[in-house]
Amino acid sequence: QVQLVESGGGLVQSGGSLRLSCVVSGFNLRYSAIGWFRQAPGKEREAVACVSSIASGPYYEDSVQGRFTFSKDSAKNTAYLQMNSLNVDDTAVYYCAAPAAGTVVAHCHNERAYSYWGQGTQVTVSS
């Protein structure tokens, strides 16, 4: 059974930092795509950062480019999202997602590529 568990969210002041973690079980993260998405109140879910299952660098949504950093530790089967210089527009529930085993994901920012989702972790940035 595939499970994704996010942690690391919380309340932080504008300009602060948080590091989100996504522990994956029942699924080998080493050669897989994995994505971080977020959904703010009243808005659609959007891709924040992700990697595809083909050789390429991480994708970052324009507004987080230079502030957020995606990484993964295959030995721990864990993905991370380091978030710096947070602002109020980053307030959202953050989710990690993984595709079905064996799925080749070329465009990792497309949420339809993903079959498994974590429960989400709330990030709230105060001004």
Side-chain angles (χ1 to χ4, degrees):
Q1 183 178 358
V2 177
Q3 283 190 315
L4 293 83
V5 180
E6 304 99 334
S7 62
L11 174 63
V12 64
Q13 287 190 327
S14 182
S17 298
L18 286 173
R19 188 195 195 203
L20 306 184
S21 299
C22 173
V23 178
V24 181
S25 58
F27 188 91
N28 190 339
L29 202 54
R30 183 175 298 275
Y31 301 111
S32 174
I34 189 157
W36 284 100
F37 292 76
R38 68 184 179 187
Q39 187 166 23
K43 294 187 177 180
E44 294 189 352
R45 189 161 55 190
E46 64 176 355
V48 177
C50 58
V51 289
S52 69
S53 50
I54 60 175
S56 63
Y59 160 91
Y60 294 102
E61 194 270 332
D62 287 347
S63 70
V64 309
Q65 182 78 41
R67 300 187 297 122
F68 290 12
T69 303
F70 174 97
S71 63
K72 67 177 180 179
D73 185 334
S74 297
K76 295 182 178 180
N77 230 33
T78 300
Y80 303 97
L81 185 67
Q82 177 66 45
M83 307 186 295
N84 298 329
S85 301
L86 286 161
N87 60 60
V88 294
D89 292 333
D90 295 317
T91 295
V93 178
Y94 285 70
Y95 302 89
C96 62
T103 302
V104 176
V105 177
H107 305 291
C108 63
H109 56 281
N110 184 348
E111 67 173 75
R112 289 175 293 181
Y114 299 92
S115 298
Y116 303 104
W117 294 81
Q119 82 288 350
T121 186
Q122 176 71 48
V123 172
T124 303
V125 184
S126 63
S127 59

mmCIF file of all heavy atoms in Angstrom, residues 6-10 12 16-22 36 67-73 76 78-84 86 94 121-123:
data_model
loop_
_atom_site.group_PDB
_atom_site.id
_atom_site.type_symbol
_atom_site.label_atom_id
_atom_site.label_comp_id
_atom_site.label_asym_id
_atom_site.label_seq_id
_atom_site.Cartn_x
_atom_site.Cartn_y
_atom_site.Cartn_z
ATOM 1 N N GLU A 6 3.118 13.951 4.733
ATOM 2 C CA GLU A 6 3.806 15.238 4.787
ATOM 3 C C GLU A 6 3.933 15.714 6.235
ATOM 4 O O GLU A 6 3.093 15.398 7.079
ATOM 5 C CB GLU A 6 3.052 16.315 3.990
ATOM 6 C CG GLU A 6 2.774 15.992 2.540
ATOM 7 C CD GLU A 6 1.374 15.476 2.326
ATOM 8 O OE1 GLU A 6 0.795 14.916 3.284
ATOM 9 O OE2 GLU A 6 0.825 15.627 1.213
ATOM 10 N N SER A 7 4.945 16.492 6.473
ATOM 11 C CA SER A 7 5.124 17.138 7.766
ATOM 12 C C SER A 7 5.967 18.395 7.561
ATOM 13 O O SER A 7 6.539 18.600 6.496
ATOM 14 C CB SER A 7 5.798 16.208 8.769
ATOM 15 O OG SER A 7 7.093 15.851 8.321
ATOM 16 N N GLY A 8 6.010 19.222 8.595
ATOM 17 C CA GLY A 8 6.864 20.401 8.558
ATOM 18 C C GLY A 8 6.136 21.711 8.371
ATOM 19 O O GLY A 8 6.753 22.773 8.415
ATOM 20 N N GLY A 9 4.835 21.653 8.158
ATOM 21 C CA GLY A 9 4.089 22.889 8.012
ATOM 22 C C GLY A 9 3.946 23.602 9.344
ATOM 23 O O GLY A 9 4.347 23.093 10.393
ATOM 24 N N GLY A 10 3.394 24.799 9.293
ATOM 25 C CA GLY A 10 3.192 25.559 10.517
ATOM 26 C C GLY A 10 2.940 27.014 10.223
ATOM 27 O O GLY A 10 2.681 27.406 9.078
ATOM 28 N N VAL A 12 4.416 30.810 10.276
ATOM 29 C CA VAL A 12 5.705 31.501 10.201
ATOM 30 C C VAL A 12 5.466 32.938 9.754
ATOM 31 O O VAL A 12 4.492 33.227 9.048
ATOM 32 C CB VAL A 12 6.657 30.765 9.216
ATOM 33 C CG1 VAL A 12 6.116 30.795 7.801
ATOM 34 C CG2 VAL A 12 8.068 31.319 9.290
ATOM 35 N N GLY A 16 10.223 34.334 6.696
ATOM 36 C CA GLY A 16 10.739 33.156 7.368
ATOM 37 C C GLY A 16 10.878 31.956 6.452
ATOM 38 O O GLY A 16 10.636 32.040 5.239
ATOM 39 N N SER A 17 11.254 30.835 7.052
ATOM 40 C CA SER A 17 11.514 29.605 6.296
ATOM 41 C C SER A 17 10.835 28.411 6.951
ATOM 42 O O SER A 17 10.613 28.397 8.169
ATOM 43 C CB SER A 17 13.019 29.330 6.238
ATOM 44 O OG SER A 17 13.716 30.368 5.577
ATOM 45 N N LEU A 18 10.523 27.442 6.142
ATOM 46 C CA LEU A 18 10.029 26.151 6.596
ATOM 47 C C LEU A 18 10.601 25.071 5.681
ATOM 48 O O LEU A 18 10.887 25.332 4.506
ATOM 49 C CB LEU A 18 8.495 26.085 6.549
ATOM 50 C CG LEU A 18 7.701 26.841 7.605
ATOM 51 C CD1 LEU A 18 6.216 26.789 7.268
ATOM 52 C CD2 LEU A 18 7.940 26.283 8.998
ATOM 53 N N ARG A 19 10.709 23.877 6.218
ATOM 54 C CA ARG A 19 11.130 22.733 5.413
ATOM 55 C C ARG A 19 10.083 21.647 5.524
ATOM 56 O O ARG A 19 9.838 21.117 6.612
ATOM 57 C CB ARG A 19 12.481 22.196 5.880
ATOM 58 C CG ARG A 19 13.062 21.123 4.972
ATOM 59 C CD ARG A 19 14.189 20.394 5.659
ATOM 60 N NE ARG A 19 15.001 19.620 4.736
ATOM 61 C CZ ARG A 19 15.748 18.580 5.100
ATOM 62 N NH1 ARG A 19 15.794 18.221 6.370
ATOM 63 N NH2 ARG A 19 16.464 17.930 4.207
ATOM 64 N N LEU A 20 9.462 21.338 4.411
ATOM 65 C CA LEU A 20 8.467 20.282 4.369
ATOM 66 C C LEU A 20 9.127 18.957 4.013
ATOM 67 O O LEU A 20 10.071 18.920 3.220
ATOM 68 C CB LEU A 20 7.381 20.600 3.345
ATOM 69 C CG LEU A 20 6.670 21.939 3.482
ATOM 70 C CD1 LEU A 20 5.551 22.044 2.440
ATOM 71 C CD2 LEU A 20 6.118 22.146 4.877
ATOM 72 N N SER A 21 8.600 17.893 4.609
ATOM 73 C CA SER A 21 9.082 16.551 4.302
ATOM 74 C C SER A 21 7.914 15.700 3.823
ATOM 75 O O SER A 21 6.781 15.884 4.267
ATOM 76 C CB SER A 21 9.704 15.900 5.533
ATOM 77 O OG SER A 21 10.810 16.631 6.003
ATOM 78 N N CYS A 22 8.211 14.776 2.946
ATOM 79 C CA CYS A 22 7.209 13.825 2.459
ATOM 80 C C CYS A 22 7.833 12.446 2.511
ATOM 81 O O CYS A 22 8.702 12.116 1.693
ATOM 82 C CB CYS A 22 6.778 14.178 1.043
ATOM 83 S SG CYS A 22 5.677 12.960 0.269
ATOM 84 N N TRP A 36 5.362 18.418 -5.417
ATOM 85 C CA TRP A 36 4.768 19.206 -4.340
ATOM 86 C C TRP A 36 3.736 20.137 -4.974
ATOM 87 O O TRP A 36 4.042 20.856 -5.933
ATOM 88 C CB TRP A 36 5.820 20.043 -3.614
ATOM 89 C CG TRP A 36 6.694 19.277 -2.687
ATOM 90 C CD1 TRP A 36 7.959 18.821 -2.907
ATOM 91 C CD2 TRP A 36 6.356 18.875 -1.352
ATOM 92 N NE1 TRP A 36 8.433 18.162 -1.798
ATOM 93 C CE2 TRP A 36 7.474 18.182 -0.824
ATOM 94 C CE3 TRP A 36 5.235 19.032 -0.539
ATOM 95 C CZ2 TRP A 36 7.495 17.645 0.463
ATOM 96 C CZ3 TRP A 36 5.258 18.503 0.735
ATOM 97 C CH2 TRP A 36 6.377 17.824 1.228
ATOM 98 N N ARG A 67 13.291 30.808 -4.385
ATOM 99 C CA ARG A 67 12.967 30.819 -2.954
ATOM 100 C C ARG A 67 12.783 29.397 -2.411
ATOM 101 O O ARG A 67 13.111 29.125 -1.260
ATOM 102 C CB ARG A 67 11.691 31.620 -2.692
ATOM 103 C CG ARG A 67 11.757 33.063 -3.120
ATOM 104 C CD ARG A 67 10.505 33.830 -2.652
ATOM 105 N NE ARG A 67 9.276 33.325 -3.239
ATOM 106 C CZ ARG A 67 8.237 32.867 -2.540
ATOM 107 N NH1 ARG A 67 8.296 32.835 -1.225
ATOM 108 N NH2 ARG A 67 7.139 32.448 -3.158
ATOM 109 N N PHE A 68 12.235 28.521 -3.222
ATOM 110 C CA PHE A 68 11.972 27.144 -2.815
ATOM 111 C C PHE A 68 12.978 26.216 -3.482
ATOM 112 O O PHE A 68 13.397 26.446 -4.626
ATOM 113 C CB PHE A 68 10.563 26.710 -3.232
ATOM 114 C CG PHE A 68 9.441 27.365 -2.477
ATOM 115 C CD1 PHE A 68 9.641 28.461 -1.660
ATOM 116 C CD2 PHE A 68 8.149 26.853 -2.597
ATOM 117 C CE1 PHE A 68 8.590 29.053 -0.975
ATOM 118 C CE2 PHE A 68 7.091 27.430 -1.916
ATOM 119 C CZ PHE A 68 7.315 28.535 -1.112
ATOM 120 N N THR A 69 13.333 25.154 -2.754
ATOM 121 C CA THR A 69 14.252 24.169 -3.305
ATOM 122 C C THR A 69 13.708 22.767 -3.066
ATOM 123 O O THR A 69 13.415 22.406 -1.923
ATOM 124 C CB THR A 69 15.649 24.282 -2.669
ATOM 125 O OG1 THR A 69 16.152 25.610 -2.867
ATOM 126 C CG2 THR A 69 16.612 23.281 -3.291
ATOM 127 N N PHE A 70 13.595 22.028 -4.151
ATOM 128 C CA PHE A 70 13.147 20.637 -4.076
ATOM 129 C C PHE A 70 14.358 19.740 -3.920
ATOM 130 O O PHE A 70 15.399 19.960 -4.552
ATOM 131 C CB PHE A 70 12.404 20.272 -5.357
ATOM 132 C CG PHE A 70 12.013 18.827 -5.447
ATOM 133 C CD1 PHE A 70 10.736 18.430 -5.099
ATOM 134 C CD2 PHE A 70 12.919 17.858 -5.857
ATOM 135 C CE1 PHE A 70 10.368 17.089 -5.168
ATOM 136 C CE2 PHE A 70 12.558 16.527 -5.925
ATOM 137 C CZ PHE A 70 11.286 16.144 -5.578
ATOM 138 N N SER A 71 14.224 18.706 -3.105
ATOM 139 C CA SER A 71 15.265 17.691 -3.027
ATOM 140 C C SER A 71 14.629 16.373 -2.625
ATOM 141 O O SER A 71 13.487 16.341 -2.155
ATOM 142 C CB SER A 71 16.358 18.080 -2.030
ATOM 143 O OG SER A 71 15.844 18.176 -0.726
ATOM 144 N N LYS A 72 15.354 15.295 -2.818
ATOM 145 C CA LYS A 72 14.876 14.003 -2.337
ATOM 146 C C LYS A 72 16.052 13.148 -1.906
ATOM 147 O O LYS A 72 17.147 13.256 -2.451
ATOM 148 C CB LYS A 72 14.010 13.291 -3.366
ATOM 149 C CG LYS A 72 14.712 12.825 -4.630
ATOM 150 C CD LYS A 72 13.709 12.062 -5.520
ATOM 151 C CE LYS A 72 14.381 11.577 -6.782
ATOM 152 N NZ LYS A 72 13.428 10.801 -7.646
ATOM 153 N N ASP A 73 15.793 12.344 -0.901
ATOM 154 C CA ASP A 73 16.770 11.408 -0.366
ATOM 155 C C ASP A 73 16.247 10.015 -0.663
ATOM 156 O O ASP A 73 15.341 9.535 0.015
ATOM 157 C CB ASP A 73 16.957 11.647 1.138
ATOM 158 C CG ASP A 73 18.047 10.787 1.742
ATOM 159 O OD1 ASP A 73 18.323 9.699 1.201
ATOM 160 O OD2 ASP A 73 18.611 11.195 2.766
ATOM 161 N N LYS A 76 16.262 7.390 2.110
ATOM 162 C CA LYS A 76 15.199 7.552 3.106
ATOM 163 C C LYS A 76 13.806 7.548 2.472
ATOM 164 O O LYS A 76 12.812 7.650 3.186
ATOM 165 C CB LYS A 76 15.398 8.856 3.876
ATOM 166 C CG LYS A 76 16.667 8.891 4.718
ATOM 167 C CD LYS A 76 16.777 10.199 5.485
ATOM 168 C CE LYS A 76 18.016 10.215 6.363
ATOM 169 N NZ LYS A 76 18.146 11.497 7.115
ATOM 170 N N THR A 78 12.346 9.836 0.895
ATOM 171 C CA THR A 78 11.731 11.070 1.387
ATOM 172 C C THR A 78 12.039 12.219 0.431
ATOM 173 O O THR A 78 13.168 12.348 -0.052
ATOM 174 C CB THR A 78 12.265 11.423 2.788
ATOM 175 O OG1 THR A 78 11.962 10.346 3.679
ATOM 176 C CG2 THR A 78 11.631 12.701 3.308
ATOM 177 N N ALA A 79 11.023 13.031 0.183
ATOM 178 C CA ALA A 79 11.194 14.248 -0.605
ATOM 179 C C ALA A 79 11.063 15.448 0.322
ATOM 180 O O ALA A 79 10.347 15.399 1.323
ATOM 181 C CB ALA A 79 10.149 14.316 -1.709
ATOM 182 N N TYR A 80 11.744 16.513 -0.045
ATOM 183 C CA TYR A 80 11.753 17.713 0.795
ATOM 184 C C TYR A 80 11.422 18.942 -0.046
ATOM 185 O O TYR A 80 11.654 18.975 -1.259
ATOM 186 C CB TYR A 80 13.133 17.922 1.426
ATOM 187 C CG TYR A 80 13.617 16.760 2.248
ATOM 188 C CD1 TYR A 80 14.471 15.809 1.714
ATOM 189 C CD2 TYR A 80 13.205 16.608 3.570
ATOM 190 C CE1 TYR A 80 14.919 14.738 2.461
ATOM 191 C CE2 TYR A 80 13.646 15.534 4.328
ATOM 192 C CZ TYR A 80 14.503 14.603 3.766
ATOM 193 O OH TYR A 80 14.940 13.537 4.515
ATOM 194 N N LEU A 81 10.892 19.937 0.631
ATOM 195 C CA LEU A 81 10.690 21.235 0.002
ATOM 196 C C LEU A 81 11.165 22.290 0.989
ATOM 197 O O LEU A 81 10.518 22.534 2.011
ATOM 198 C CB LEU A 81 9.221 21.454 -0.362
ATOM 199 C CG LEU A 81 8.934 22.740 -1.129
ATOM 200 C CD1 LEU A 81 9.584 22.675 -2.528
ATOM 201 C CD2 LEU A 81 7.435 22.982 -1.269
ATOM 202 N N GLN A 82 12.318 22.860 0.707
ATOM 203 C CA GLN A 82 12.843 23.940 1.533
ATOM 204 C C GLN A 82 12.249 25.242 1.024
ATOM 205 O O GLN A 82 12.390 25.581 -0.147
ATOM 206 C CB GLN A 82 14.370 23.997 1.434
ATOM 207 C CG GLN A 82 15.003 25.144 2.200
ATOM 208 C CD GLN A 82 14.824 25.011 3.700
ATOM 209 O OE1 GLN A 82 15.011 23.933 4.254
ATOM 210 N NE2 GLN A 82 14.476 26.107 4.362
ATOM 211 N N MET A 83 11.572 25.953 1.913
ATOM 212 C CA MET A 83 10.883 27.175 1.528
ATOM 213 C C MET A 83 11.483 28.350 2.289
ATOM 214 O O MET A 83 11.398 28.399 3.516
ATOM 215 C CB MET A 83 9.382 27.059 1.818
ATOM 216 C CG MET A 83 8.747 25.820 1.207
ATOM 217 S SD MET A 83 6.952 25.779 1.401
ATOM 218 C CE MET A 83 6.810 25.666 3.176
ATOM 219 N N ASN A 84 12.087 29.261 1.564
ATOM 220 C CA ASN A 84 12.693 30.457 2.155
ATOM 221 C C ASN A 84 11.963 31.708 1.686
ATOM 222 O O ASN A 84 11.204 31.677 0.711
ATOM 223 C CB ASN A 84 14.168 30.539 1.759
ATOM 224 C CG ASN A 84 14.982 29.364 2.257
ATOM 225 O OD1 ASN A 84 14.692 28.783 3.301
ATOM 226 N ND2 ASN A 84 16.011 29.009 1.504
ATOM 227 N N LEU A 86 9.446 33.288 2.738
ATOM 228 C CA LEU A 86 8.007 33.055 2.607
ATOM 229 C C LEU A 86 7.236 34.363 2.692
ATOM 230 O O LEU A 86 7.630 35.294 3.413
ATOM 231 C CB LEU A 86 7.533 32.093 3.692
ATOM 232 C CG LEU A 86 7.944 30.629 3.474
ATOM 233 C CD1 LEU A 86 7.850 29.846 4.765
ATOM 234 C CD2 LEU A 86 7.047 30.004 2.406
ATOM 235 N N TYR A 94 -0.174 22.257 1.633
ATOM 236 C CA TYR A 94 0.826 21.698 0.731
ATOM 237 C C TYR A 94 0.716 20.180 0.718
ATOM 238 O O TYR A 94 0.641 19.546 1.777
ATOM 239 C CB TYR A 94 2.227 22.121 1.165
ATOM 240 C CG TYR A 94 2.538 23.561 0.818
ATOM 241 C CD1 TYR A 94 1.914 24.599 1.491
ATOM 242 C CD2 TYR A 94 3.426 23.880 -0.205
ATOM 243 C CE1 TYR A 94 2.164 25.926 1.158
ATOM 244 C CE2 TYR A 94 3.706 25.196 -0.545
ATOM 245 C CZ TYR A 94 3.063 26.216 0.139
ATOM 246 O OH TYR A 94 3.320 27.524 -0.192
ATOM 247 N N THR A 121 -0.216 19.339 4.484
ATOM 248 C CA THR A 121 0.267 20.031 5.684
ATOM 249 C C THR A 121 0.037 21.523 5.490
ATOM 250 O O THR A 121 0.321 22.081 4.421
ATOM 251 C CB THR A 121 1.754 19.707 5.959
ATOM 252 O OG1 THR A 121 2.152 20.291 7.202
ATOM 253 C CG2 THR A 121 2.669 20.206 4.853
ATOM 254 N N GLN A 122 -0.505 22.156 6.506
ATOM 255 C CA GLN A 122 -0.875 23.566 6.405
ATOM 256 C C GLN A 122 0.341 24.461 6.609
ATOM 257 O O GLN A 122 1.095 24.298 7.580
ATOM 258 C CB GLN A 122 -1.936 23.912 7.452
ATOM 259 C CG GLN A 122 -2.322 25.384 7.503
ATOM 260 C CD GLN A 122 -3.118 25.824 6.290
ATOM 261 O OE1 GLN A 122 -4.078 25.153 5.894
ATOM 262 N NE2 GLN A 122 -2.752 26.960 5.696
ATOM 263 N N VAL A 123 0.512 25.397 5.706
ATOM 264 C CA VAL A 123 1.526 26.436 5.840
ATOM 265 C C VAL A 123 0.809 27.775 5.897
ATOM 266 O O VAL A 123 0.051 28.115 4.987
ATOM 267 C CB VAL A 123 2.512 26.414 4.655
ATOM 268 C CG1 VAL A 123 3.439 27.635 4.703
ATOM 269 C CG2 VAL A 123 3.329 25.127 4.671
#
